[in-house]
């Protein structure tokens, strides 16, 4: 699945920029977990997605803060996410590129 960002100055106005990989936001995965959606329902086989390292930390904080009733289920979900989706370093250079793509 290809995602398109808004065109930038100098780009062909009829086309957006094709992104090679989509960095998933924490809220997408939290919503899926709360809705009991299987990871396979959220991410297709052909989707090229990744997580920023900070997103992995945010998901793990959610496990640590979960009450007893939710913790085991959440931990299993987060473990599957972290085993399935590659983690990308997210330094200032990547943050600047990400901001340009989203602007």
């Amino acid at each position: 699945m290809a995602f398109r960002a808004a065109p930038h100055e100098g780009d062909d106005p009829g086309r957006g920029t094709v992104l090679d990989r989509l960095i998933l936001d924490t809220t997408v995965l939290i919503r899926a977990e709360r809705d009991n959606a299987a990871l396979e329902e959220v991410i297709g086989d052909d989707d090229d997605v990744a997580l920023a390292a900070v997103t992995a930390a945010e998901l793990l904080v959610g496990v640590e803060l979960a009450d007893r009733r939710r913790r085991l289920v959440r931990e299993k979900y987060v473990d599957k996410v972290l085993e399935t989706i590659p983690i990308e370093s997210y330094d200032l250079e990547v943050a600047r590129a990400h901001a340009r793509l989203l602007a």
Side-chain angles (χ1 to χ4, degrees), residues 1 12 14 17 27 30 34 44 50 56 65 90-91 99:
M1 171 182 281
D12 177 353
T17 304
T27 55
I30 290 171
R34 288 182 178 166
L65 295 176
Y90 200 85
D91 58 17

Side-chain angles (χ1 to χ4, degrees), residues 2-40:
F3 295 87
R4 294 198 180 273
H8 296 283
E9 189 175 318
D11 286 349
D12 177 353
R15 293 184 19 197
T17 304
V18 175
L19 305 179
D20 291 330
R21 175 168 276 175
L22 177 67
I23 297 176
L24 293 176
D25 184 67
T26 310
T27 55
V28 171
L29 297 165
I30 290 171
R31 172 58 46 207
E33 187 264 336
R34 288 182 178 166
D35 290 346
N36 294 315
L39 191 56
E40 296 78 16

Side-chain angles (χ1 to χ4, degrees), residues 1 3 24 38-49 84:
M1 171 182 281
F3 295 87
L24 293 176
L39 191 56
E40 296 78 16
E41 294 175 36
V42 179
I43 302 163
D45 289 339
D46 294 332
D47 292 343
D48 190 8
V49 297
T84 305

Side-chain angles (χ1 to χ4, degrees), residues 57-71 74:
E58 291 168 345
L59 292 171
L60 292 165
V61 166
V63 170
E64 295 299 323
L65 295 176
D67 61 27
R68 262 196 243 168
R69 184 180 58 83
R70 297 281 309 144
R71 185 181 176 114
R74 182 164 293 161

